[in-house]
């Protein structure tokens, strides 16, 4: 038996000006063939779990590509075609397929990156079972449902169950191959744009939805996934979904999908996040700091790296300095031009330079420059190893990096947008984040497992960047209406009937 295993991950913010060429998928592009196998083997990815499961089954493994990029703007057509071609070209002669996908990819040539890929794989292998692992923020489409036999998504956000999700999908695939089950898929999608800050799985309506999914699995469903969707994509339905994999009885699976979808719809207001004005959020952080002996976290979710943010919006830092904050550490701030100038100046040099505000916000208009004078404290290659719990052991690449001390604040400036997965984003450039009074992070959620334990408090700050929670900032043109919360009177009867 021969099994195709591949990875294609990208969460696309169609409003982001950050480009996504082929080189963005990895350090310098995707890994292919044996390199793809080595890249994921031993990691905490779904693809790694696929490999382990296939090796236990003693099947022949084909790994044409492993491609994963940080969230950003639409994937270049040439990049999308290159990755898809690698997968489709490897499909002939394979008996089964395991795909580690995100679920919210939009390319310049495709509004449904995963659905179009699955359609192409299915055309080559009409009878081979296809199992897919998805991110919790995937935007499920009819093509994805039509061309996959098994779909399982993460059940945690922040995501810490990537490997477990892959293991689950692989188990169902091999059970089908061995005749132990007959997977069938049911799907319901309420017209609800869920905010990412309301998709955390340890609280609120999302926690209750995931608990209902787990209970349904314990009651006999092969897999039940609640995908909050990724709303910063101008496609037809970037909405929340419930996907149920049943064992031979699609009607029964649909009853479960309808029940959980109706539960979600009845609590739809709890999936909506309403931001406070930025000045109020910063003032709240100042109150926390008065009695704190640890840093106060200010999370700039309006310019969040892992939702396609530019990571160069300076609104939050400017407001913090306006309110008199000191002992501030901010970063990673993405500004390749500034990094080049700081590396040219050298450690110890005093420079006056414009940092950030180089890329447009949601309006598409240029931002005023943020000019500062400071001392270059460190220059590095921007590489470190993530210690966990997310992507434990994976090598991280910020691009060339620099530390600029401007007195009240210390800035970590990088060539690449980069999520603060780990204390290593600061420790790798010689900064101990525990010694800061305020930590300003370009993050929404992934930083929390690492930075919350060293912090005295946390404040969510909306800087009005391209990942803002204020959907009114974005010019949706393809979105199917009515949809909640844009249309408050939206009525949905999709949970009724089959």
């Amino acid at each position: 038996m021969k099994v195709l295993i591949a990875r294609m991950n990208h969460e696309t913010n169609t409003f982001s000006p950050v480009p996504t060429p082929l080189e963005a998928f990895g350090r310098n592009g995707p890994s292919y063939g044996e390199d793809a196998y080595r890249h994921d083997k031993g990691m905490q990815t779904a693809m790694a779990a696929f490999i382990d499961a296939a090796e236990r089954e003693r099947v022949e493994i084909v790994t044409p590509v492993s491609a994963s990029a940080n969230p950003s703007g639409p994937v270049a057509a040439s990049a999308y075609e290159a990755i898809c071609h690698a997968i489709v070209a490897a499909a002939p002669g394979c008996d089964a397929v395991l795909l580690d996908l995100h679920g919210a990819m939009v390319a310049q040539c495709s509004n449904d990156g995963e659905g179009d890929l699955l359609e192409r794989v299915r055309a080559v292998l009409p009878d081979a079972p296809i199992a897919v692992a998805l991110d919790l923020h995937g935007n499920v489409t009819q093509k994805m449902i039509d061309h996959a036999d098994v779909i399982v998504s993460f059940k945690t956000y922040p995501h810490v169950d990537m490997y477990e999700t892959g293991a689950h999908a692989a188990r169902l695939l091999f059970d089908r191959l061995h005749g132990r089950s007959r997977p069938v898929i049911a799907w319901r999608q309420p017209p609800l744009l869920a905010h990412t800050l309301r998709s955390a799985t340890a609280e609120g309506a999302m926690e209750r939805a995931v608990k209902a999914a787990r209970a349904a699995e314990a009651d006999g469903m092969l897999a039940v996934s609640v995908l909050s969707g990724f709303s910063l994509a101008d496609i037809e339905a970037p909405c929340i979904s419930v996907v149920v994999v049943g064992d031979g009885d699609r009607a029964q699976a649909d009853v479960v999908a309808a029940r959980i979808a109706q539960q979600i719809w009845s609590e739809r207001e709890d999936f909506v996040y309403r931001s406070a004005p930025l000045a109020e959020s910063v003032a709240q952080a100042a109150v926390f700091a008065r009695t704190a002996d640890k840093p106060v976290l200010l999370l700039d979710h309006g310019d969040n790296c892992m939702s396609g943010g530019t990571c160069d919006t300076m609104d939050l830092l400017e407001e913090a300095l306006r309110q008199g904050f000191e002992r501030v550490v901010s970063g990673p701030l993405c500004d390749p031009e500034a990094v080049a100038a700081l590396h040219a100046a050298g450690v110890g040099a005093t420079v006056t330079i414009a940092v950030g505000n180089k890329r447009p916000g949601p309006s598409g208009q240029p931002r005023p420059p943020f000019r500062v004078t400071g001392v270059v404290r460190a220059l590095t290659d921007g590489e470190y190893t993530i210690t966990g719990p997310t992507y434990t052991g994976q090598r991280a690449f910020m691009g060339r990096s620099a530390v600029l001390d401007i007195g009240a604040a210390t800035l970590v400036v990088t060539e690449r947008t980069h999520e603060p997965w780990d204390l290593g984003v600061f420790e790798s450039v010689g900064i101990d984040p525990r010694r800061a009074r305020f930590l300003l992070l370009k993050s929404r959620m992934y930083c929390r497992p690492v930075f919350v334990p060293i912090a005295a408090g946390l404040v969510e700050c909306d800087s009005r960047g391209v990942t803002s929670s204020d959907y009114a900032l974005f010019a949706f043109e393809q979105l199917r209406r009515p949809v909640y919360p844009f249309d408050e009177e939206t009525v949905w009867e999709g949970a009724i009937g089959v």
Side-chain angles (χ1 to χ4, degrees):
M1 184 181 294
K2 182 189 292 187
V3 177
L4 188 158
I5 296 174
R7 183 183 185 196
M8 184 180 79
N9 287 177
H10 188 255
E11 182 179 79
T12 306
N13 180 337
T14 62
F15 303 102
S16 173
V18 180
T20 314
L22 188 63
E23 294 74 24
F25 289 87
R27 186 179 184 184
N28 291 297
S31 300
Y32 297 98
E34 286 297 317
D35 288 338
Y37 172 91
R38 287 190 291 268
H39 181 274
D40 277 76
K41 176 67 175 176
M43 295 290 105
Q44 293 299 303
T45 63
M47 182 166 170
F50 295 163
I51 291 170
D52 290 346
E55 289 182 337
R56 286 193 297 271
E57 293 282 337
R58 300 182 183 277
V59 299
E60 181 181 349
I61 299 172
V62 179
T63 54
V65 65
S66 176
S68 181
N70 278 348
S72 48
V75 177
S78 58
Y80 178 73
E81 287 300 327
I83 298 167
C84 289
H85 175 75
I87 296 170
V88 175
C94 290
D95 300 290
V97 180
L98 286 160
L99 294 176
D100 179 349
L101 306 178
H102 182 282
M105 175 183 278
V106 177
Q108 293 171 339
C109 54
S110 170
N111 271 4
D112 185 3
E114 289 85 359
D116 287 345
L117 168 64
L118 287 166
E119 183 178 50
R120 290 163 68 172
V121 173
R122 177 61 72 200
V124 176
L125 298 174
D127 301 316
I130 300 172
V132 178
L134 294 179
D135 190 288
L136 177 143
H137 295 107
N139 291 325
V140 180
T141 67
Q142 190 63 55
K143 277 189 179 181
M144 294 162 68
I145 299 297
D146 290 344
H147 299 295
D149 298 280
V150 169
I151 294 176
V152 185
S153 78
F154 308 160
K155 285 187 172 67
T156 63
Y157 180 54
H159 306 318
V160 293
D161 65 335
M162 293 81 76
Y163 184 93
E164 290 78 5
T165 301
H168 190 168
R171 182 173 69 253
L172 298 187
L173 178 95
F174 285 113
D175 281 351
R176 160 152 180 193
L177 287 169
H178 295 310
R180 293 191 288 260
S181 67
R182 295 177 297 130
V184 292
I185 296 180
W187 170 50
R188 292 297 173 103
Q189 187 178 59
L192 169 59
L193 296 179
H195 280 90
T196 305
L197 277 166
R198 288 290 179 259
S199 62
T201 53
E203 60 187 32
M206 189 63 178
E207 179 185 30
R208 292 187 287 275
V210 171
K211 281 184 177 179
R214 293 188 186 277
E217 289 178 346
D219 198 35
M221 293 297 105
L222 298 181
V224 182
S225 300
V226 178
L227 300 96
S228 68
F230 182 65
S231 298
L232 294 174
D234 189 16
I235 59 176
E236 186 177 87
C239 298
I240 198 164
S241 288
V242 179
V243 177
V244 178
V245 182
D247 189 359
D249 189 337
R250 183 172 282 105
Q252 183 184 36
D254 189 69
V255 168
V256 174
R259 183 180 72 242
I260 297 175
Q262 182 59 52
Q263 174 184 320
I264 289 168
W265 183 245
S266 69
E267 297 189 88
R268 57 191 175 277
E269 176 58 26
D270 201 40
F271 287 93
V272 177
Y273 180 89
R274 306 190 190 277
S275 297
L278 183 61
E280 288 183 16
S281 300
V282 173
Q284 181 184 357
V287 172
F288 283 160
R290 289 174 190 165
T291 57
D293 59 356
K294 294 180 179 180
V296 176
L297 296 180
L298 289 85
L299 302 189
D300 188 0
H301 63 88
D303 189 23
N304 168 37
C305 173
M306 293 308 288
S307 292
T310 61
C311 295
D312 82 331
T313 302
M314 305 306 288
D315 299 3
L316 176 56
L317 179 60
E318 290 180 271
E319 181 61 28
L321 296 177
R322 191 188 69 78
Q323 294 194 27
F325 282 21
E326 295 183 339
R327 288 173 53 205
V328 174
V329 172
S330 179
L333 304 169
C334 179
D335 189 335
E337 294 175 12
V339 169
L342 295 173
H343 272 255
V347 173
T350 298
V351 297
T352 298
I353 192 171
V355 178
N357 285 354
K358 305 286 176 66
R359 285 175 164 152
S363 69
Q365 298 300 311
R367 299 172 181 269
F370 178 70
R371 297 191 67 81
V372 293
T373 298
V375 178
V376 181
R377 298 297 186 192
L379 301 169
T380 76
D381 63 5
E383 297 188 14
Y384 68 94
T385 300
I386 298 171
T387 58
T390 305
Y391 294 122
T392 304
Q394 186 165 304
R395 194 70 176 160
F397 309 101
M398 301 189 291
R400 288 191 306 166
S401 302
V403 176
L404 182 63
D405 180 352
I406 63 171
T410 301
L411 315 182
V412 177
V413 191
T414 63
E415 288 183 316
R416 288 185 166 195
T417 60
H418 189 77
E419 173 69 26
W421 302 109
D422 195 85
L423 298 181
V425 298
F426 297 114
E427 292 177 341
S428 68
V429 296
I431 296 173
D432 183 354
R434 302 170 189 83
R435 299 176 65 84
R437 191 176 187 201
F438 300 97
L439 277 172
L440 280 55
L441 304 180
K442 296 290 190 181
S443 183
R444 176 180 277 133
M445 194 66 65
Y446 291 114
C447 68
R448 299 188 191 211
V450 172
F451 286 91
V452 167
I454 70 165
L458 180 155
V459 181
E460 294 165 345
C461 303
D462 194 339
S463 66
R464 318 292 277 184
V466 296
T467 70
S468 172
S469 294
D470 183 357
Y471 291 156
L473 296 175
F474 303 97
F476 287 92
E477 296 178 351
Q478 301 185 59
L479 180 65
R480 185 172 62 213
R481 306 288 288 268
V483 65
Y484 193 86
F486 274 136
D487 306 298
E488 296 273 344
E489 303 304 316
T490 301
V491 175
W492 182 60
E493 298 179 350
I496 300 171
V498 175

